[in-house]
Amino acid sequence: MSGNLHEFPDPETLAHELALDVSAQLTAAIAVRGSASIAVSGGSTPKRFFEALSEQDINWSKVTITLVDERFVAADDERSNHRLVATHLLKDKAEAATFVPLYQPSTTAEEAAKIATEKTAGFGNPFDVVILGMGGDGHTASFFPKGNNLAKAIDPAGPRGVLTMQAEGAGEERLTFSFTSLADARLLVLHIEGDAKMIVLENAENGEDEMEMPIRAVLNRAPSSLEIYWAP
């Protein structure tokens, strides 16, 4: 399998162990560079991980958190990844961290993407930690099949920063970091749970069309540095 597979007996154990590994990476970054950065994903899968990470003994005042991707909705919207992070991660010890959202109050998502690119330019070059998820259609971040900006988003020679994405399976218009912004993270993790997600991942490995299953862009270009955390 492309990437290094870490298999756990259940999601609770996975969340705990992933929190420990991320904590170690962030702590090491602070020791070496005086600060640390992490980009996390939304959805239902990372909730346990967020809860476990929020309790870790890290110098959180030195940590900057942002999102891998976001819906173009206000922070208090029930589908907002910002709201998810605020509820499950930015609390307890992690309350001292700095959070930089991707959603910006703007007339258009394109304007928001430009502002988010500017606001995130000062960190994450590279990120110390990036936590990716994966949908049942093989998307990761907001790299959706048939997305209007998919080719640009996964271009390995593309610029760093935030761009927009519209796709039939995406629901709202999205804001997403480009592939080049994420792929060189010092710790690059794909966090998936359930047998169905493992089948999707295996199917992705058995094909080549990145436009059909965008997770292939990560599998193809970061095969040795990608850490896959999975529990049935």
Side-chain angles (χ1 to χ4, degrees), residues 154-187:
I154 64 175
D155 183 352
R160 304 181 80 93
V162 179
L163 63 159
T164 63
M165 190 71 66
Q166 296 183 61
E168 183 177 343
E172 302 89 344
E173 190 167 8
R174 302 287 185 113
L175 303 164
T176 185
F177 272 107
S178 64
F179 173 83
T180 52
S181 299
L182 305 172
D184 61 353
R186 295 183 175 94
L187 176 61

Side-chain angles (χ1 to χ4, degrees), residues 29 38 61 92 95 114 144 161 169 173 182 194 206 220 223:
I38 176 172
S61 65
D92 298 330
E95 189 175 2
K114 291 178 182 178
F144 282 87
E173 190 167 8
L182 305 172
N206 292 327
N220 291 343

